[in-house]
Amino acid sequence: MKKIWIYVGVILIITIILPTILVKTSKFISLENKIKIKDIKKEEKEVKKEEFDGYIKVYDTRTQEVVKLSLEDYVKGVVAAEMPGEFHIEALKAQAVASRTYALHKMNKFNEGHPDHPQAPLCTGVHCQAFLSIKELEEAHSKKWVNKYWPKIEEAVEDTAGEVIYYGKEIAEPLYHSTSGGMTEDVRDVFSNDSPYLKSVSSPYEEGAPKFKDISTFKVDEFLSKLKKKYPGVNITKENLPEKVKLVERSESGRIKKVMIDGQVVSGSEIREIFNLNSTNFKIIYNPKTEMVDIETIGYGHGVGMSQWGANGMGKKGKKYKDILKHYYTGVEIKKYKKE
């Protein structure tokens, strides 16, 4: 009989008491509750995400303060700083859309602040996009210049208000530069990353650009000194210069990708930086009789995206700003910005 009661007790423990303890002590969550918790977390995350209210934060590199500007007022200051006010109205409109798109792209990418200026996603320097207030424009040009060109800049921005460049569903990063020299550059050959809309395209009508072609002249000793300062191990003299500096590779647009300096392969961008050249589309000419080195350059800037002087030329030829943008940015659409 005693054995029977022991047996009954064990059964009770297994079937009733133990499950009760497990239910009370476990952290078991039903599938339904899991879904509810996920929804709550999702809602909390959405609440924390700051919605775009038409204003952006910009780090002023001159005062080292963060200012809050309406996007459209910011774009006006960028267009005035980045493109000559004398340019065709369609070119200014193209610049307005490109600058607005660039700002929104950076704002989305660096919502918590740019690594180089954590206080804000954008700055007023050329590191992002140059920006000048009306007061700064008067100081840089004159009050007469502002009275003449500011209304035109306002017109360009206001006529394109809210318009942004999209590639598919994504806001594009529309890089731009002053003068391409007849052909823009594929982004892969400059910044080592690929983008389907930043491809090399023709850029006609740039001949009037002041830096379409340029020549930088150096005494051979100065030229060699600059090279040796950057590359201390090279053995280059006046006598062996033509054999020691050789072209290795050009891009499809004609820009120099690689140069060999006494057996050492370096990038065209490094040579541009050493000699402060207008672009990487250059040619080095040494005259041993005069002991002078001429570096001829074509174009001004990195060459990726929209050529501003090309846009001005297209505007003069009757092209509208959307035509200009779609020419320089392959496969894009221009649409009103939608809050994400």
Side-chain angles (χ1 to χ4, degrees), residues 302-315:
H302 52 60
V304 180
M306 183 178 72
S307 162
Q308 293 170 317
W309 276 88
N312 187 48
M314 290 182 72

Side-chain angles (χ1 to χ4, degrees), residues 10 64 91 216 229 282:
V10 171
Q64 298 184 337
S216 298
K229 183 177 179 181
F282 59 82

Side-chain angles (χ1 to χ4, degrees), residues 178-194:
S178 172
T179 313
S180 76
M183 182 76 70
T184 68
E185 185 67 290
D186 191 309
V187 68
R188 291 177 304 177
D189 294 325
V190 180
F191 299 113
S192 300
N193 62 303
D194 200 7

Side-chain angles (χ1 to χ4, degrees), residues 2 26 32 67 131 169 198 209-210 212 216 223 231 249 292 318:
K2 189 175 180 181
S26 71
E32 183 181 355
V67 294
F131 170 91
K169 294 182 179 180
L198 294 175
F212 183 81
S216 298
F223 179 84
Y231 312 111
E249 183 182 2
M292 301 296 288

Side-chain angles (χ1 to χ4, degrees), residues 149-165:
Y149 293 113
W150 184 253
K152 186 180 175 185
I153 291 164
E154 282 191 309
E155 178 188 348
V157 175
E158 290 168 4
D159 282 359
T160 64
E163 291 186 353
V164 175
I165 305 167

Side-chain angles (χ1 to χ4, degrees), residues 1-267:
M1 181 65 70
K2 189 175 180 181
K3 289 182 178 180
I4 291 173
W5 283 112
I6 292 170
Y7 178 75
V8 170
V10 171
I11 294 297
L12 287 170
I13 290 170
I14 293 171
T15 59
I16 298 173
I17 298 171
L18 186 59
T20 302
I21 293 170
L22 287 171
V23 169
K24 287 183 177 179
T25 59
S26 71
K27 294 182 179 178
F28 173 75
I29 300 173
S30 68
L31 179 60
E32 183 181 355
N33 286 335
K34 280 184 178 179
I35 293 169
K36 286 180 181 177
I37 288 171
K38 285 181 180 178
D39 288 342
I40 291 168
K41 287 182 178 178
K42 185 179 179 182
E43 287 173 5
E44 288 176 350
K45 190 175 182 181
E46 287 175 352
V47 169
K48 288 179 182 178
K49 186 178 180 181
E50 188 176 344
E51 284 196 14
F52 177 63
D53 60 356
Y55 286 79
I56 58 172
K57 292 178 181 178
V58 183
Y59 176 69
D60 191 326
T61 56
R62 293 170 284 271
T63 64
Q64 298 184 337
E65 294 177 346
V66 175
V67 294
K68 195 170 184 181
L69 300 168
S70 78
L71 176 61
E72 299 305 319
D73 284 343
Y74 167 75
V75 172
K76 290 174 186 177
V78 172
V79 173
E82 290 281 2
M83 181 174 274
E86 299 88 342
F87 272 18
H88 195 278
I89 186 65
E90 295 300 321
L92 290 167
K93 287 180 181 180
Q95 181 68 57
V97 177
S99 296
R100 183 183 298 111
T101 305
Y102 185 89
L104 288 169
H105 175 86
K106 291 297 180 186
M107 190 182 73
N108 290 337
K109 186 175 181 180
F110 302 111
N111 189 42
E112 300 299 320
H114 194 283
D116 293 334
H117 36 80
Q119 303 92 331
L122 290 157
C123 72
T124 58
V126 292
H127 170 266
C128 291
Q129 296 185 117
F131 170 91
L132 292 172
S133 66
I134 292 179
K135 183 180 178 181
E136 288 165 338
L137 285 168
E138 288 179 353
E139 292 172 355
H141 300 288
S142 66
K143 195 167 184 178
K144 184 178 178 181
W145 186 97
V146 171
N147 290 337
K148 184 176 182 180
Y149 293 113
W150 184 253
K152 186 180 175 185
I153 291 164
E154 282 191 309
E155 178 188 348
V157 175
E158 290 168 4
D159 282 359
T160 64
E163 291 186 353
V164 175
I165 305 167
Y166 281 87
Y167 184 82
K169 294 182 179 180
E170 300 293 323
I171 293 176
E173 184 179 15
L175 302 181
Y176 53 87
H177 58 282
S178 172
T179 313
S180 76
M183 182 76 70
T184 68
E185 185 67 290
D186 191 309
V187 68
R188 291 177 304 177
D189 294 325
V190 180
F191 299 113
S192 300
N193 62 303
D194 200 7
S195 178
Y197 52 85
L198 294 175
K199 297 299 180 184
S200 179
V201 298
S202 64
S203 184
Y205 319 124
E206 291 186 354
E207 287 74 12
K211 294 183 179 178
F212 183 81
K213 287 186 179 180
D214 197 19
I215 298 178
S216 298
T217 302
F218 304 88
K219 292 180 179 179
V220 68
D221 290 334
E222 181 187 5
F223 179 84
L224 294 175
S225 176
K226 286 179 178 290
L227 282 181
K228 290 176 180 179
K229 183 177 179 181
K230 179 69 176 179
Y231 312 111
V234 298
N235 178 27
I236 306 179
T237 64
K238 299 175 185 178
E239 291 72 31
N240 65 20
L241 176 57
E243 291 77 37
K244 293 288 186 174
V245 180
K246 292 184 177 180
L247 170 68
V248 175
E249 183 182 2
R250 283 187 184 270
S251 67
E252 290 183 13
S253 71
R255 292 168 176 81
I256 290 182
K257 293 177 70 175
K258 295 176 183 178
V259 179
M260 186 174 288
I261 308 293
D262 190 26
Q264 183 178 344
V265 178
V266 303
S267 70

